[in-house]
Amino acid sequence: MTTTRGRLRAAAALVISACLLAGCSKGSEPGASGTGAAGGDYTIWDPYPQFDDGSDWVKLLTRCGTDAGVTVKRTGYDTTDLTNKALLAAQQSNSPDVLIVDNPVVSTLADAGVLTTTDELKVDTAAVEPNLLAAGRIGGKTYGIPIGANTLALYYNKKILDGAKVDPAAIKDWASLTAALEKVKATGKKGITFSAIGTEEGSFQFLPWFWGSGAGLTQLDSAQGVAALELWNGWLKNGHAPNSVLNNTQTTSWQEFAAGDFAFSENGTWQLANAEKTGFEYGIIPIPSQAGGTAPAPTGGEFVTAPVQTETGRYPVTEKLIACLSSADNAFTTDTTLSYIAATEAVQQKQVAANPQLAVWVEAVKAAKGRTSDDLGTKYPKISQPLWTAFQAALSGSASPAEALKTAQTTAAAATK
């Protein structure tokens, strides 16, 4: 029988080896202070070290603490560093009261016994979009509530499409998108750029095409999955996408698009501010599925969770802090700051009313799904790595799409037994 401590050690190893988001920063030593159910200090850890004490985000945390009658002690960590510190703190029975983590990490922490469930804490999740909440559901239980979500869509350069006589509104499936790329190439311009790097960033960008084919992560070498990889492979062979995608991160892929020569860029909500700085007119359309309609893109974004405490009398205040952070008014402000789409329909409508440009992103988020959804949980990193190895092999020409995905399925099946 696996002990909680053993699961914590295994979870720590999984997080480090998977390296869902690269880079670590150093922070203060973990630890929650204060005792009892009322008053005292309550600790919040988040993955936003870019926000200092004068930021709107930290002011919100402070105000939520004041409203709950406590003092909030907040620390911002780099994402990977935060996860490792959370696992270590749990081993030492010294967890923060509130922990905000990247959504794929929730299953790792839950499996290790680090997190309480929303039922235990009496957190109301009724208004949250089910597809977003699914990233925090493991074994029929929900661990936390999404603070918001980001995802992927296709940015386009209007001048290039006009020159190629392409109507972006007519792009509804793979065939119409590839036809648009052919028209762009005929004008001497470049087609589409994306990230196919051999890391989680690459898998994140491949998933809309993979899921959009009808494929599932438990059968990587299905006919549908092969079709998705053949799509990418065909774009490279036909000159619609550059060979640089093999090494592109999402940032370097965006830089290629921002230079003004590409018709399309697969990228996320986090590039909206940069899109305004490109100097050319742009637009955004959802990533199309193979047969038509919006493809399910993976969700990014964080969950607000509550680690297990030995002093369970702290939970009522913790619930108040989480309710404050996820309230409609605060979610609207926070998601605007983080360039996220809200997790509830009511706040999504408020976002679109304030900025109609967000409508396409709301559509994309409504179709999106968590990488650990379908009850994959901690199996996901063991599937993602063979998947990115497969598209790297196919795009570099060392294996056919079918061969590469067959190898990936064998590897993933062995790793997830």
Side-chain angles (χ1 to χ4, degrees):
M1 181 176 179
T2 305
T3 65
T4 297
R5 191 170 295 275
R7 283 186 288 136
L8 284 166
R9 283 196 293 267
L14 177 62
V15 169
I16 293 169
S17 63
C19 199
L20 288 174
L21 289 170
C24 295
S25 64
K26 295 187 179 295
S28 59
E29 286 304 308
S33 58
T35 60
D41 296 342
Y42 276 66
T43 309
I44 296 179
W45 293 356
D46 67 51
Y48 314 126
Q50 69 270 31
F51 296 130
D52 60 23
D53 290 347
S55 66
D56 289 342
W57 167 247
V58 178
K59 288 177 181 177
L60 171 61
L61 298 181
T62 301
R63 186 169 70 252
C64 287
T66 300
D67 291 348
V70 299
T71 300
V72 164
K73 300 292 185 180
R74 173 261 182 179
T75 305
Y77 294 104
D78 171 85
T79 297
T80 302
D81 201 23
L82 172 62
T83 306
N84 295 331
K85 286 186 181 297
L87 290 164
L88 177 62
Q91 284 182 312
Q92 298 171 341
S93 299
N94 196 24
S95 294
D97 294 285
V98 176
L99 178 65
I100 303 171
V101 292
D102 192 25
N103 74 70
V105 175
V106 174
S107 60
T108 298
L109 297 179
D111 185 67
V114 173
L115 303 178
T116 64
T117 67
T118 54
D119 285 344
E120 290 173 314
L121 209 65
K122 298 181 174 58
V123 171
D124 185 5
T125 63
V128 178
E129 294 289 318
N131 65 319
L132 301 183
L133 195 63
R137 286 187 62 79
I138 302 97
K141 298 179 179 179
T142 304
Y143 298 84
I145 187 168
I147 201 168
N150 55 34
T151 194
L152 297 165
L154 294 180
Y155 289 82
Y156 64 83
N157 183 317
K158 187 176 184 302
K159 182 178 179 180
I160 291 178
L161 293 194
D162 286 347
K165 294 181 171 53
V166 170
D167 178 6
I171 297 174
K172 300 293 186 182
D173 53 23
W174 290 2
S176 55
L177 176 57
T178 299
L181 296 176
E182 290 171 353
K183 290 181 179 179
V184 168
K185 183 183 177 184
T187 68
K189 294 294 185 179
K190 299 176 182 178
I192 185 168
T193 179
F194 50 88
S195 170
I197 195 170
T199 68
E200 180 58 25
E201 280 192 78
S203 288
F204 190 82
Q205 292 235 323
F206 183 58
L207 281 174
W209 313 100
F210 184 80
W211 283 333
S213 71
L217 287 171
T218 57
Q219 193 63 46
L220 298 180
D221 59 348
S222 67
Q224 296 92 337
V226 172
L229 188 45
E230 286 177 340
L231 178 72
W232 267 20
N233 206 45
W235 286 348
L236 261 70
K237 284 185 175 180
N238 293 318
H240 300 322
N243 289 328
S244 59
V245 300
L246 280 159
N247 297 309
N248 271 347
T249 64
Q250 293 180 106
T251 298
T252 56
S253 171
W254 177 261
Q255 290 167 348
E256 287 181 333
F257 176 71
D261 292 329
F262 279 90
F264 296 96
S265 170
E266 179 185 354
N267 230 294
T269 50
W270 53 89
Q271 297 292 3
L272 277 171
N274 289 328
E276 297 293 338
K277 302 173 184 176
T278 59
F280 55 80
E281 191 175 355
Y282 73 94
I284 305 163
I285 58 172
I287 296 173
S289 65
Q290 183 177 20
T294 301
T299 56
E302 286 75 41
F303 266 58
V304 186
T305 69
V308 172
Q309 302 291 337
T310 54
E311 295 179 31
T312 57
R314 300 180 69 84
Y315 290 156
V317 171
T318 298
E319 189 279 329
K320 289 181 181 178
L321 294 174
I322 293 175
C324 178
L325 292 175
S326 58
S327 71
D329 288 343
N330 291 334
F332 176 77
T333 302
T334 297
D335 290 334
T336 299
T337 299
L338 298 175
S339 292
Y340 283 172
I341 298 303
T344 65
E345 185 174 6
V347 182
Q348 289 172 357
Q349 291 176 353
K350 189 175 179 180
Q351 287 180 303
V352 173
N355 182 3
Q357 191 179 42
L358 294 178
V360 66
W361 292 108
V362 169
E363 180 182 346
V365 164
K366 283 183 178 296
K369 64 187 294 184
R371 286 162 278 175
T372 59
S373 296
D374 301 328
D375 223 23
L376 287 179
T378 56
K379 292 180 180 179
Y380 173 73
K382 300 173 185 177
I383 297 170
S384 178
Q385 185 166 354
L387 184 61
W388 80 57
T389 300
F391 60 67
Q392 280 265 305
L395 298 182
S396 65
S398 63
S400 71
E403 292 168 342
L405 286 172
K406 183 177 181 180
T407 299
Q409 176 58 28
T410 300
T411 303
T416 55
K417 280 184 178 179

